[in-house]
Amino acid sequence: MIIRSLLITCLCLAPALQAAGVQGTAARWTQFAQSLERLHTQRLEGFDIKTEESVGGYGGVRADPEFYTQTKYIDRNSGRLLAKVQRENRKPALLHTMELYIYDAQGRLAREYIAAYLPDRRELPFQTLVSIYSYVDGLQAFREFDASDDLLFEYCTGELDGRKVHIAWDYLEIPDKADEIEDQYMRAAYEKCFTDLPRTAGPYLEPLNELK
């Protein structure tokens, strides 16, 4: 499982919130976060769940080391982590962050959803992400999108023809097509990694489609 931290904060606000139609973006991102909460609640009904809680927060200007309580939701039968949810301690009804994990029939991570709010900005989520995973011949790859369907990040790791592969490109580096990659081995690796992955999040922009 590959979970990236807030180092991508600078990416998650771009390019969607830097373009025209900010109000439309805000509506889509807010709807995404709300749907993700509903998916989490409804999905738990199908599992025997155990939970683990911890308290966390922020230093510096925020100076609130107990700002949120994080709850991990774990399937007792498989031991798989289904979700991590942080809620504000002073207002427990308010979501701070949510990470939700969907697995395939082999128990591998298939999709990962994230929605997060800044501590002092509640008008819309500052981060909305859906990552779609693929596993091909010893390679593990994913493409990551925001709720506006902007492709933000591509990642692939593993081995191809006895050589290690490591691709980690943000939206400024992602090629429009593999032919743009000059290095022959890197081009072959890129094609192998991402051939089965869509360049749009499609139905997963609405998390509730996971229930269909």
Side-chain angles (χ1 to χ4, degrees), residues 12-202:
C12 67
L13 292 176
L17 294 184
Q18 297 175 359
V22 172
Q23 290 184 345
T25 296
R28 286 192 296 272
W29 288 29
T30 299
Q31 178 62 46
F32 180 91
Q34 292 172 346
S35 290
L36 195 57
E37 285 199 78
R38 290 175 59 195
L39 171 60
H40 170 63
T41 299
Q42 295 182 47
R43 182 174 176 240
L44 291 183
E45 296 174 1
F47 293 92
D48 180 12
I49 296 294
K50 69 175 181 178
T51 60
E52 297 177 358
E53 288 192 352
S54 60
V55 174
Y58 304 95
V61 176
R62 180 76 221 176
D64 188 349
E66 298 184 353
F67 178 73
Y68 61 80
T69 294
Q70 175 176 278
T71 304
K72 293 182 178 180
Y73 295 83
I74 302 165
D75 176 21
R76 289 184 185 274
N77 294 324
S78 67
R80 296 184 193 117
L81 178 62
L82 301 178
K84 288 195 297 185
V85 181
Q86 296 176 356
R87 295 193 177 276
E88 297 185 14
N89 283 327
R90 295 183 181 179
K91 299 179 180 179
L94 293 182
L95 177 69
H96 183 45
T97 70
M98 176 175 287
E99 301 176 11
L100 194 151
Y101 313 110
I102 304 293
Y103 299 90
D104 65 16
Q106 288 75 48
R108 304 173 301 187
L109 186 61
R111 289 172 296 283
E112 175 184 356
Y113 294 89
I114 297 176
Y117 291 85
L118 290 171
D120 298 317
R121 301 287 298 272
R122 294 293 313 181
E123 61 268 27
L124 78 159
F126 87 98
Q127 185 180 63
T128 58
L129 300 172
V130 54
S131 299
I132 304 173
Y133 286 75
S134 176
Y135 304 86
V136 180
D137 297 335
L139 295 169
Q140 175 182 344
F142 71 82
R143 278 185 168 139
E144 183 176 78
F145 308 83
D146 65 17
S148 295
D149 208 18
D150 289 314
L151 176 56
L152 300 181
F153 193 74
E154 290 182 334
Y155 184 92
C156 182
T157 187
E159 288 191 3
L160 179 64
D161 298 332
R163 295 174 59 182
K164 291 188 178 300
V165 173
H166 181 79
I167 296 172
W169 290 343
D170 66 30
Y171 71 95
L172 295 175
E173 301 170 300
I174 295 171
D176 290 330
K177 52 186 178 181
D179 292 346
E180 298 177 4
I181 302 172
E182 294 183 2
D183 182 86
Q184 183 176 357
Y185 178 78
M186 182 61 74
R187 183 167 62 250
Y190 184 87
E191 290 177 333
K192 191 75 170 179
C193 287
F194 298 105
T195 294
D196 292 339
L197 284 173
R199 293 186 71 93
T200 174

